[in-house]
Amino acid sequence: MTIKDSPEEWEIRATDTPFVGNKTSVRTDDVVMPDGSVVRRDYQVHPGSVAVLALDEEDRVLLINQYRHPVRHKLWEIPAGLLDVPGENPLHAAQRELYEEAHVKAEDWRVLTDVYTTPGGCDEAVRVFLARELAEAEGERFETEHEETDMEYARVPVDELVRRVLAGDVHNNCLVVGVLSLVAARSGDGLDALRPADARWPARPFTS
């Protein structure tokens, strides 16, 4: 048995989109089950996202802290954002988010991991990048709005972040997956063995 996710699509007898929002929508599909029964499935349709685990020369991860209304928390997170343009190159989107949210640029980029955040109820796919060789970005800072106007920033050592994750002190999925993937990669073949930044991403195909 090969442990690898595989694409598959079961028959859909009917579909509807009862809600369309600014960035996402809700879809209802009537799906044929293996026994022939038909079951209704509601899920959020999402454009996809990118996230950046930015690691500085002192082995610290760049974090931002902002309010997330659905969970009524201010969460520590890594820079992230939506893939607003269909077919957008995820690396370009990640570089943009790192600049806009942290006013930082990076010279070395790798794919750290790819995840579906909540596949039971949403089709969001996230690519988490590892960014190294950080430097302050040139030019003016990006003008923030809404929740971003209240953001805080920190650089936290990797070991401290791992302790915070395991203690249940931080909950953002990209941060948790990213920092634990970083530690796993280091204990395996090393960070330089990670996939290149332009690696294929079947979940969200893109052009170079």
Side-chain angles (χ1 to χ4, degrees):
M1 178 182 296
T2 299
I3 305 300
K4 182 177 181 179
D5 296 339
S6 58
E8 185 167 344
E9 188 165 350
W10 291 0
E11 180 186 353
I12 298 173
R13 290 279 174 85
T15 187
D16 185 30
T17 305
F19 171 79
V20 177
N22 185 32
K23 298 292 185 181
T24 67
S25 61
V26 173
R27 183 175 297 164
T28 298
D29 291 339
D30 290 342
V31 186
V32 179
M33 298 288 109
D35 64 359
S37 63
V38 178
V39 177
R40 179 158 292 180
R41 292 288 179 254
D42 304 314
Y43 58 99
Q44 182 185 23
V45 178
H46 194 286
S49 306
V50 291
V52 184
L53 193 143
L55 188 67
D56 70 14
E57 68 282 354
E58 297 180 39
D59 206 40
R60 300 176 302 177
V61 176
L62 190 158
L63 300 182
I64 58 176
N65 182 256
Q66 64 176 315
Y67 178 64
R68 293 301 190 183
H69 185 69
V71 295
R72 310 300 199 272
H73 271 71
K74 288 190 74 174
L75 299 180
W76 285 104
E77 306 177 350
I78 56 178
L82 298 175
L83 289 167
D84 295 311
V85 181
E88 182 178 17
N89 187 310
L91 174 60
H92 298 166
Q95 292 170 332
R96 180 187 67 236
E97 293 299 332
L98 185 60
Y99 167 75
E100 291 181 355
E101 294 194 346
H103 202 64
V104 167
K105 62 180 181 180
E107 292 298 321
D108 187 273
W109 290 81
R110 310 273 173 156
V111 174
L112 191 52
T113 191
D114 297 325
V115 294
Y116 289 115
T117 54
T118 49
C122 179
D123 71 351
E124 181 184 15
V126 179
R127 170 157 281 188
V128 183
F129 289 91
L130 172 65
R132 294 181 292 175
E133 299 179 27
L134 309 183
E136 188 79 6
E138 300 174 355
E140 297 183 3
R141 296 190 70 93
F142 183 76
E143 187 174 346
T144 59
E145 60 180 1
H146 307 308
E147 290 91 345
E148 293 177 345
T149 60
D150 191 43
M151 285 197 306
E152 300 175 69
Y153 302 87
R155 295 197 181 199
V156 181
V158 171
D159 290 346
E160 174 66 15
L161 263 184
V162 171
R163 285 193 291 270
R164 295 293 180 183
V165 167
L166 299 180
D169 294 332
V170 293
H171 305 87
N172 174 263
N173 58 355
C174 292
L175 169 57
V176 171
V177 170
V179 72
L180 296 184
S181 295
L182 173 72
V183 173
R186 281 177 165 173
S187 66
D189 295 330
L191 301 185
D192 291 335
L194 290 169
R195 286 174 290 164
D198 60 353
R200 286 181 64 254
W201 190 16
R204 291 294 184 273
F206 64 94
T207 56
S208 299

Short mmCIF file of all heavy atoms in Angstrom, two decimals, residues 138-191:
data_model
loop_
_atom_site.label_atom_id
_atom_site.label_comp_id
_atom_site.label_asym_id
_atom_site.label_seq_id
_atom_site.Cartn_x
_atom_site.Cartn_y
_atom_site.Cartn_z
N GLU A 138 12.35 47.15 0.73
CA GLU A 138 12.53 48.54 0.34
C GLU A 138 11.18 49.19 0.06
O GLU A 138 10.18 48.52 -0.17
CB GLU A 138 13.41 48.61 -0.91
CG GLU A 138 14.80 48.01 -0.70
CD GLU A 138 15.60 47.96 -1.99
OE1 GLU A 138 15.03 48.30 -3.05
OE2 GLU A 138 16.78 47.56 -1.93
N GLY A 139 11.16 50.52 0.07
CA GLY A 139 9.94 51.25 -0.26
C GLY A 139 9.04 51.46 0.95
O GLY A 139 9.37 51.08 2.09
N GLU A 140 7.88 52.04 0.71
CA GLU A 140 6.95 52.35 1.77
C GLU A 140 6.23 51.09 2.25
O GLU A 140 6.04 50.14 1.50
CB GLU A 140 5.91 53.37 1.29
CG GLU A 140 6.50 54.72 0.91
CD GLU A 140 5.42 55.70 0.51
OE1 GLU A 140 4.22 55.34 0.57
OE2 GLU A 140 5.79 56.83 0.13
N ARG A 141 5.84 51.12 3.51
CA ARG A 141 5.08 50.01 4.05
C ARG A 141 3.69 49.98 3.44
O ARG A 141 3.11 51.02 3.10
CB ARG A 141 4.97 50.11 5.58
CG ARG A 141 6.31 50.01 6.31
CD ARG A 141 6.08 49.89 7.81
NE ARG A 141 5.50 48.61 8.15
CZ ARG A 141 6.22 47.54 8.50
NH1 ARG A 141 7.54 47.62 8.56
NH2 ARG A 141 5.63 46.40 8.81
N PHE A 142 3.13 48.79 3.31
CA PHE A 142 1.80 48.61 2.76
C PHE A 142 0.78 49.18 3.73
O PHE A 142 0.88 49.00 4.95
CB PHE A 142 1.53 47.12 2.53
CG PHE A 142 0.20 46.82 1.91
CD1 PHE A 142 0.00 47.03 0.55
CD2 PHE A 142 -0.84 46.33 2.67
CE1 PHE A 142 -1.22 46.74 -0.03
CE2 PHE A 142 -2.06 46.04 2.10
CZ PHE A 142 -2.26 46.25 0.74
N GLU A 143 -0.20 49.92 3.21
CA GLU A 143 -1.22 50.52 4.05
C GLU A 143 -2.23 49.46 4.51
O GLU A 143 -2.88 48.81 3.69
CB GLU A 143 -1.96 51.63 3.29
CG GLU A 143 -2.92 52.41 4.16
CD GLU A 143 -3.53 53.59 3.43
OE1 GLU A 143 -3.00 53.96 2.36
OE2 GLU A 143 -4.52 54.15 3.95
N THR A 144 -2.35 49.28 5.81
CA THR A 144 -3.22 48.24 6.36
C THR A 144 -4.65 48.76 6.53
O THR A 144 -4.90 49.97 6.56
CB THR A 144 -2.70 47.76 7.72
OG1 THR A 144 -2.63 48.88 8.62
CG2 THR A 144 -1.32 47.13 7.59
N GLU A 145 -5.58 47.80 6.65
CA GLU A 145 -6.97 48.15 6.88
C GLU A 145 -7.64 47.03 7.67
O GLU A 145 -7.12 45.93 7.80
CB GLU A 145 -7.71 48.39 5.57
CG GLU A 145 -7.73 47.18 4.64
CD GLU A 145 -8.46 47.46 3.34
OE1 GLU A 145 -8.94 48.59 3.16
OE2 GLU A 145 -8.58 46.53 2.52
N HIS A 146 -8.80 47.37 8.23
CA HIS A 146 -9.63 46.42 8.98
C HIS A 146 -8.83 45.79 10.14
O HIS A 146 -8.18 46.51 10.89
CB HIS A 146 -10.20 45.35 8.05
CG HIS A 146 -10.92 45.92 6.86
ND1 HIS A 146 -11.92 46.86 6.97
CD2 HIS A 146 -10.77 45.70 5.53
CE1 HIS A 146 -12.36 47.19 5.79
NE2 HIS A 146 -11.69 46.51 4.89
N GLU A 147 -8.87 44.46 10.28
CA GLU A 147 -8.18 43.81 11.41
C GLU A 147 -6.67 44.04 11.38
O GLU A 147 -6.01 44.02 12.43
CB GLU A 147 -8.45 42.29 11.40
CG GLU A 147 -9.86 41.89 11.75
CD GLU A 147 -10.76 41.77 10.53
OE1 GLU A 147 -10.38 42.28 9.45
OE2 GLU A 147 -11.83 41.18 10.65
N GLU A 148 -6.11 44.27 10.20
CA GLU A 148 -4.66 44.40 10.08
C GLU A 148 -4.13 45.67 10.74
O GLU A 148 -2.94 45.77 11.02
CB GLU A 148 -4.25 44.37 8.61
CG GLU A 148 -4.51 43.02 7.94
CD GLU A 148 -4.17 43.03 6.47
OE1 GLU A 148 -4.02 44.14 5.91
OE2 GLU A 148 -4.07 41.95 5.88
N THR A 149 -5.00 46.67 10.98
CA THR A 149 -4.53 47.91 11.60
C THR A 149 -4.13 47.69 13.06
O THR A 149 -3.46 48.53 13.65
CB THR A 149 -5.62 49.00 11.53
OG1 THR A 149 -6.79 48.55 12.23
CG2 THR A 149 -5.98 49.29 10.08
N ASP A 150 -4.55 46.58 13.64
CA ASP A 150 -4.27 46.30 15.04
C ASP A 150 -3.22 45.21 15.22
O ASP A 150 -3.04 44.67 16.29
CB ASP A 150 -5.59 45.88 15.73
CG ASP A 150 -5.47 45.83 17.24
OD1 ASP A 150 -4.87 46.76 17.82
OD2 ASP A 150 -5.96 44.86 17.85
N MET A 151 -2.50 44.87 14.14
CA MET A 151 -1.55 43.76 14.22
C MET A 151 -0.34 44.09 15.09
O MET A 151 0.12 45.22 15.12
CB MET A 151 -1.07 43.37 12.81
CG MET A 151 -2.09 42.61 12.01
SD MET A 151 -1.41 41.74 10.57
CE MET A 151 -0.56 43.05 9.71
N GLU A 152 0.16 43.06 15.76
CA GLU A 152 1.43 43.12 16.49
C GLU A 152 2.41 42.17 15.81
O GLU A 152 2.00 41.25 15.10
CB GLU A 152 1.24 42.70 17.95
CG GLU A 152 0.27 43.56 18.73
CD GLU A 152 0.04 42.99 20.12
OE1 GLU A 152 0.98 43.03 20.95
OE2 GLU A 152 -1.06 42.47 20.37
N TYR A 153 3.70 42.37 16.07
CA TYR A 153 4.73 41.57 15.43
C TYR A 153 5.69 41.01 16.48
O TYR A 153 5.91 41.61 17.53
CB TYR A 153 5.52 42.41 14.43
CG TYR A 153 4.67 43.03 13.35
CD1 TYR A 153 4.06 44.27 13.55
CD2 TYR A 153 4.46 42.39 12.14
CE1 TYR A 153 3.25 44.83 12.58
CE2 TYR A 153 3.68 42.95 11.15
CZ TYR A 153 3.07 44.17 11.38
OH TYR A 153 2.27 44.72 10.40
N ALA A 154 6.25 39.84 16.18
CA ALA A 154 7.24 39.25 17.07
C ALA A 154 8.11 38.29 16.26
O ALA A 154 7.71 37.82 15.19
CB ALA A 154 6.56 38.49 18.21
N ARG A 155 9.30 38.05 16.78
CA ARG A 155 10.18 37.00 16.24
C ARG A 155 10.48 36.05 17.39
O ARG A 155 11.05 36.44 18.40
CB ARG A 155 11.45 37.59 15.65
CG ARG A 155 11.19 38.47 14.44
CD ARG A 155 12.44 38.71 13.63
NE ARG A 155 12.18 39.59 12.48
CZ ARG A 155 12.96 39.68 11.42
NH1 ARG A 155 14.07 38.95 11.34
NH2 ARG A 155 12.66 40.50 10.43
N VAL A 156 10.06 34.79 17.21
CA VAL A 156 10.10 33.83 18.31
C VAL A 156 10.99 32.65 17.93
O VAL A 156 10.86 32.10 16.82
CB VAL A 156 8.68 33.32 18.64
CG1 VAL A 156 8.70 32.33 19.78
CG2 VAL A 156 7.77 34.50 18.96
N PRO A 157 11.92 32.23 18.81
CA PRO A 157 12.77 31.08 18.52
C PRO A 157 11.95 29.83 18.22
O PRO A 157 10.89 29.61 18.81
CB PRO A 157 13.59 30.91 19.80
CG PRO A 157 13.60 32.26 20.42
CD PRO A 157 12.26 32.86 20.11
N VAL A 158 12.46 29.02 17.30
CA VAL A 158 11.75 27.81 16.88
C VAL A 158 11.44 26.91 18.07
O VAL A 158 10.32 26.41 18.22
CB VAL A 158 12.57 27.05 15.81
CG1 VAL A 158 11.94 25.68 15.53
CG2 VAL A 158 12.67 27.86 14.53
N ASP A 159 12.42 26.68 18.94
CA ASP A 159 12.21 25.78 20.08
C ASP A 159 11.08 26.28 20.98
O ASP A 159 10.28 25.49 21.49
CB ASP A 159 13.50 25.63 20.88
CG ASP A 159 14.56 24.83 20.15
OD1 ASP A 159 14.22 24.18 19.15
OD2 ASP A 159 15.73 24.87 20.58
N GLU A 160 11.02 27.60 21.18
CA GLU A 160 9.96 28.17 22.00
C GLU A 160 8.60 27.99 21.34
O GLU A 160 7.60 27.67 22.01
CB GLU A 160 10.23 29.65 22.24
CG GLU A 160 9.12 30.41 22.96
CD GLU A 160 8.91 29.95 24.40
OE1 GLU A 160 9.79 29.25 24.95
OE2 GLU A 160 7.85 30.28 24.96
N LEU A 161 8.55 28.15 20.03
CA LEU A 161 7.30 27.97 19.31
C LEU A 161 6.79 26.53 19.41
O LEU A 161 5.59 26.30 19.57
CB LEU A 161 7.48 28.35 17.84
CG LEU A 161 7.07 29.76 17.43
CD1 LEU A 161 7.22 29.92 15.92
CD2 LEU A 161 5.64 30.06 17.86
N VAL A 162 7.69 25.58 19.30
CA VAL A 162 7.29 24.17 19.43
C VAL A 162 6.67 23.93 20.80
O VAL A 162 5.63 23.26 20.93
CB VAL A 162 8.48 23.23 19.19
CG1 VAL A 162 8.12 21.79 19.53
CG2 VAL A 162 8.95 23.33 17.75
N ARG A 163 7.29 24.48 21.84
CA ARG A 163 6.73 24.32 23.19
C ARG A 163 5.34 24.93 23.28
O ARG A 163 4.43 24.37 23.90
CB ARG A 163 7.67 24.95 24.23
CG ARG A 163 8.93 24.13 24.50
CD ARG A 163 9.66 24.62 25.73
NE ARG A 163 10.26 25.94 25.51
CZ ARG A 163 11.49 26.13 25.04
NH1 ARG A 163 12.26 25.10 24.72
NH2 ARG A 163 11.97 27.35 24.89
N ARG A 164 5.16 26.10 22.66
CA ARG A 164 3.87 26.78 22.68
C ARG A 164 2.81 25.96 21.94
O ARG A 164 1.65 25.90 22.36
CB ARG A 164 3.99 28.17 22.07
CG ARG A 164 4.87 29.13 22.84
CD ARG A 164 4.26 29.48 24.17
NE ARG A 164 5.09 30.40 24.93
CZ ARG A 164 4.80 30.82 26.17
NH1 ARG A 164 3.70 30.37 26.77
NH2 ARG A 164 5.59 31.65 26.81
N VAL A 165 3.20 25.36 20.83
CA VAL A 165 2.26 24.52 20.07
C VAL A 165 1.81 23.34 20.92
O VAL A 165 0.60 23.06 21.05
CB VAL A 165 2.92 24.01 18.77
CG1 VAL A 165 2.08 22.90 18.14
CG2 VAL A 165 3.11 25.15 17.77
N LEU A 166 2.75 22.63 21.51
CA LEU A 166 2.43 21.43 22.27
C LEU A 166 1.70 21.73 23.58
O LEU A 166 0.98 20.89 24.11
CB LEU A 166 3.70 20.62 22.54
CG LEU A 166 4.42 20.12 21.28
CD1 LEU A 166 5.67 19.34 21.66
CD2 LEU A 166 3.50 19.28 20.41
N ALA A 167 1.88 22.97 24.07
CA ALA A 167 1.18 23.38 25.29
C ALA A 167 -0.23 23.88 25.00
O ALA A 167 -1.00 24.15 25.93
CB ALA A 167 1.98 24.47 26.00
N GLY A 168 -0.58 24.01 23.72
CA GLY A 168 -1.90 24.50 23.37
C GLY A 168 -2.03 26.01 23.48
O GLY A 168 -3.14 26.53 23.60
N ASP A 169 -0.90 26.72 23.40
CA ASP A 169 -0.93 28.18 23.53
C ASP A 169 -1.15 28.89 22.20
O ASP A 169 -1.58 30.05 22.18
CB ASP A 169 0.38 28.69 24.14
CG ASP A 169 0.56 28.24 25.58
OD1 ASP A 169 -0.46 28.02 26.26
OD2 ASP A 169 1.71 28.10 26.03
N VAL A 170 -0.84 28.24 21.09
CA VAL A 170 -1.07 28.82 19.76
C VAL A 170 -1.85 27.82 18.92
O VAL A 170 -1.65 26.61 19.03
CB VAL A 170 0.26 29.21 19.07
CG1 VAL A 170 0.94 30.36 19.80
CG2 VAL A 170 1.20 28.02 18.97
N HIS A 171 -2.76 28.33 18.07
CA HIS A 171 -3.72 27.45 17.42
C HIS A 171 -3.83 27.63 15.91
O HIS A 171 -4.49 26.82 15.26
CB HIS A 171 -5.11 27.68 18.02
CG HIS A 171 -5.16 27.52 19.51
ND1 HIS A 171 -4.87 28.56 20.38
CD2 HIS A 171 -5.42 26.44 20.29
CE1 HIS A 171 -4.98 28.13 21.63
NE2 HIS A 171 -5.31 26.86 21.61
N ASN A 172 -3.25 28.66 15.36
CA ASN A 172 -3.37 28.88 13.92
C ASN A 172 -2.79 27.70 13.16
O ASN A 172 -1.65 27.28 13.40
CB ASN A 172 -2.66 30.18 13.53
CG ASN A 172 -2.63 30.39 12.03
OD1 ASN A 172 -1.64 30.08 11.39
ND2 ASN A 172 -3.71 30.91 11.47
N ASN A 173 -3.59 27.12 12.24
CA ASN A 173 -3.15 25.87 11.61
C ASN A 173 -1.89 26.03 10.79
O ASN A 173 -1.03 25.14 10.77
CB ASN A 173 -4.29 25.27 10.78
CG ASN A 173 -4.81 26.19 9.69
OD1 ASN A 173 -4.41 27.33 9.58
ND2 ASN A 173 -5.73 25.68 8.90
N CYS A 174 -1.74 27.15 10.07
CA CYS A 174 -0.52 27.32 9.25
C CYS A 174 0.72 27.44 10.13
O CYS A 174 1.79 26.93 9.78
CB CYS A 174 -0.67 28.54 8.35
SG CYS A 174 -1.91 28.35 7.05
N LEU A 175 0.59 28.11 11.27
CA LEU A 175 1.71 28.22 12.19
C LEU A 175 2.05 26.85 12.77
O LEU A 175 3.23 26.44 12.78
CB LEU A 175 1.37 29.20 13.31
CG LEU A 175 2.33 29.23 14.51
CD1 LEU A 175 3.75 29.55 14.07
CD2 LEU A 175 1.84 30.23 15.55
N VAL A 176 1.04 26.13 13.24
CA VAL A 176 1.28 24.83 13.86
C VAL A 176 1.89 23.85 12.85
O VAL A 176 2.93 23.22 13.12
CB VAL A 176 -0.03 24.26 14.43
CG1 VAL A 176 0.16 22.81 14.88
CG2 VAL A 176 -0.51 25.11 15.60
N VAL A 177 1.26 23.73 11.68
CA VAL A 177 1.77 22.82 10.65
C VAL A 177 3.15 23.26 10.19
O VAL A 177 4.06 22.44 9.99
CB VAL A 177 0.79 22.74 9.47
CG1 VAL A 177 1.42 22.00 8.30
CG2 VAL A 177 -0.50 22.06 9.89
N GLY A 178 3.33 24.56 10.02
CA GLY A 178 4.59 25.07 9.50
C GLY A 178 5.77 24.80 10.43
O GLY A 178 6.81 24.28 10.00
N VAL A 179 5.62 25.14 11.71
CA VAL A 179 6.76 24.99 12.62
C VAL A 179 7.07 23.52 12.89
O VAL A 179 8.25 23.13 12.97
CB VAL A 179 6.52 25.78 13.93
CG1 VAL A 179 5.48 25.12 14.80
CG2 VAL A 179 7.83 25.94 14.70
N LEU A 180 6.03 22.67 12.98
CA LEU A 180 6.30 21.24 13.19
C LEU A 180 6.90 20.60 11.94
O LEU A 180 7.74 19.70 12.04
CB LEU A 180 5.03 20.52 13.62
CG LEU A 180 4.44 20.96 14.97
CD1 LEU A 180 3.23 20.12 15.33
CD2 LEU A 180 5.49 20.91 16.09
N SER A 181 6.48 21.08 10.76
CA SER A 181 7.09 20.58 9.51
C SER A 181 8.55 21.01 9.42
O SER A 181 9.40 20.24 8.94
CB SER A 181 6.32 21.10 8.31
OG SER A 181 5.01 20.59 8.27
N LEU A 182 8.85 22.21 9.87
CA LEU A 182 10.23 22.68 9.88
C LEU A 182 11.11 21.77 10.73
O LEU A 182 12.19 21.34 10.30
CB LEU A 182 10.28 24.11 10.41
CG LEU A 182 11.67 24.70 10.64
CD1 LEU A 182 12.35 25.02 9.31
CD2 LEU A 182 11.58 25.97 11.50
N VAL A 183 10.64 21.47 11.93
CA VAL A 183 11.42 20.61 12.84
C VAL A 183 11.57 19.21 12.24
O VAL A 183 12.66 18.61 12.30
CB VAL A 183 10.74 20.55 14.21
CG1 VAL A 183 11.43 19.53 15.11
CG2 VAL A 183 10.76 21.92 14.87
N ALA A 184 10.50 18.69 11.63
CA ALA A 184 10.57 17.37 11.02
C ALA A 184 11.55 17.35 9.85
O ALA A 184 12.31 16.39 9.68
CB ALA A 184 9.18 16.94 10.55
N ALA A 185 11.54 18.41 9.04
CA ALA A 185 12.46 18.47 7.90
C ALA A 185 13.91 18.51 8.37
O ALA A 185 14.79 17.87 7.78
CB ALA A 185 12.14 19.70 7.05
N ARG A 186 14.17 19.24 9.42
CA ARG A 186 15.53 19.32 9.96
C ARG A 186 16.02 17.96 10.46
O ARG A 186 17.19 17.61 10.29
CB ARG A 186 15.59 20.33 11.10
CG ARG A 186 15.63 21.77 10.65
CD ARG A 186 15.61 22.67 11.88
NE ARG A 186 15.98 24.03 11.53
CZ ARG A 186 15.92 25.06 12.38
NH1 ARG A 186 15.48 24.85 13.62
NH2 ARG A 186 16.29 26.26 12.01
N SER A 187 15.13 17.21 11.08
CA SER A 187 15.53 15.91 11.62
C SER A 187 15.58 14.83 10.54
O SER A 187 16.05 13.73 10.80
CB SER A 187 14.57 15.49 12.74
OG SER A 187 13.28 15.25 12.22
N GLY A 188 15.07 15.15 9.34
CA GLY A 188 15.09 14.20 8.24
C GLY A 188 16.23 14.50 7.29
O GLY A 188 17.40 14.44 7.66
N ASP A 189 15.87 14.86 6.05
CA ASP A 189 16.90 15.09 5.03
C ASP A 189 17.46 16.50 5.01
O ASP A 189 18.34 16.81 4.19
CB ASP A 189 16.31 14.77 3.64
CG ASP A 189 15.95 13.29 3.50
OD1 ASP A 189 16.63 12.47 4.15
OD2 ASP A 189 15.00 12.98 2.75
N GLY A 190 16.94 17.39 5.87
CA GLY A 190 17.46 18.75 5.94
C GLY A 190 16.63 19.72 5.11
O GLY A 190 15.90 19.34 4.19
N LEU A 191 16.76 21.00 5.42
CA LEU A 191 15.95 22.03 4.78
C LEU A 191 16.28 22.19 3.29
O LEU A 191 15.40 22.52 2.49
CB LEU A 191 16.11 23.36 5.50
CG LEU A 191 15.72 23.37 6.99
CD1 LEU A 191 15.81 24.78 7.55
CD2 LEU A 191 14.31 22.81 7.19
#
